[in-house]
């Protein structure tokens, strides 16, 4: 699985968009970008995933650059409840078998009033 | 649906004791996994199962055993607890053909 690089921490004002970057310059053609988050002491929560097209769901948007070497997770209107550690994970599709998600240290997002 | 449930939430053991961490899911998911999370680190895969009767090792399997006799349950056994096994343990499951993993609330284990 490709290695990812994320900033250690970020701050965001409540109501504003939170843009969380992730570098994955060694990503392979069949590897997806997954985002999970972990609110303090809870189990990780799936947010979104994508291969090369931008994706949007009820939680967030995922923007993947054309060369796929980096991506950005966008929380359009961050709230205090979005304060969490956000993990960017790159791997082949889970649907293909196997269960391993390699979690790095992620980005601690702090949403403030 | 209750989702993925784990018991106990907290446990303190003495070195050398054995115990079983319970994990159950009511979503009829084929895939189940156990991860551990140490302070300041990401999650590391211990063992996983792709269906009842089938288990395999993850990246940190030493000191742990698993079994999968039913689709719903995936217990993790510590045969002889060591202080290095002090950690938070998360169970996860997912359905075949689905990318999303569902995680349980975790078990916080301390080995003295």
């Amino acid at each position: 699985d490709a290695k990812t690089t994320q900033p250690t921490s970020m701050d965001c004002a409540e109501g504003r968009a939170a843009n969380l970057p992730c570098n994955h310059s060694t990503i392979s053609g069949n590897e997806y970008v997954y985002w999970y988050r972990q609110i303090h002491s809870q189990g990780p929560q799936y947010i979104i995933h994508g291969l090369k097209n931008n994706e949007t769901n009820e939680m967030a948007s995922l923007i993947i650059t054309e060369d796929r070497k980096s991506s950005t997770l966008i929380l359009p209107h961050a709230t205090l409840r979005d304060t969490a550690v956000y993990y960017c994970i790159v791997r082949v599709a889970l649907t293909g078998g196997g269960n391993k998600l390699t979690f790095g240290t992620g980005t601690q997002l702090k949403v403030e009033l | 649906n209750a989702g993925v449930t784990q018991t106990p939430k907290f446990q303190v053991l003495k070195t050398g004791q054995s115990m079983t961490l319970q994990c159950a899911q009511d979503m009829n998911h084929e895939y189940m996994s156990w991860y551990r999370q140490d302070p300041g680190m990401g999650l590391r895969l211990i063992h996983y199962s792709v269906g009842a009767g089938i288990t395999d090792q993850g990246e940190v399997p030493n000191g742990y055993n698993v079994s999968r006799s039913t689709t719903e349950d995936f217990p993790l056994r510590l045969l002889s607890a060591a202080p290095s096994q002090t950690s938070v343990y998360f169970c996860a499951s997912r359905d075949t053909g689905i990318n999303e993993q569902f995680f349980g609330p975790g078990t916080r284990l301390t080995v003295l």
Side-chain angles (χ1 to χ4, degrees), chain B residues 10-27:
Chain B
F10 301 93
Q11 183 70 48
V12 178
L13 293 177
K14 294 181 179 179
T15 297
Q17 286 185 314
S18 62
M19 79 158 296
T20 299
L21 280 64
Q22 301 292 342
C23 174
Q25 51 90 10
D26 61 358
M27 298 174 281

Side-chain angles (χ1 to χ4, degrees), chain A residues 32 34 36 38 41-46 49 87 92-105, chain B residues 31-33 35 37 40-43 45 48-50 59 90 92 94 97-101 103-105 108:
Chain A
Y32 286 70
Y34 292 83
Y36 279 74
Q38 188 173 23
S41 298
Q42 298 181 20
Q45 177 189 21
Y46 167 85
H49 76 280
Y87 296 99
V92 296
L94 283 178
T95 54
N99 258 15
K100 182 180 176 181
L101 288 173
T102 302
F103 288 80
T105 52
Chain B
Y31 291 86
M32 296 187 74
S33 308
Y35 292 83
Q37 185 173 34
M41 297 180 66
L43 282 74
L45 183 65
Y48 66 95
S49 169
V50 300
E59 59 181 307
F90 290 101
R94 72 174 177 88
I98 301 297
N99 281 284
E100 179 180 358
Q101 282 211 53
F103 284 81
R108 188 174 297 272

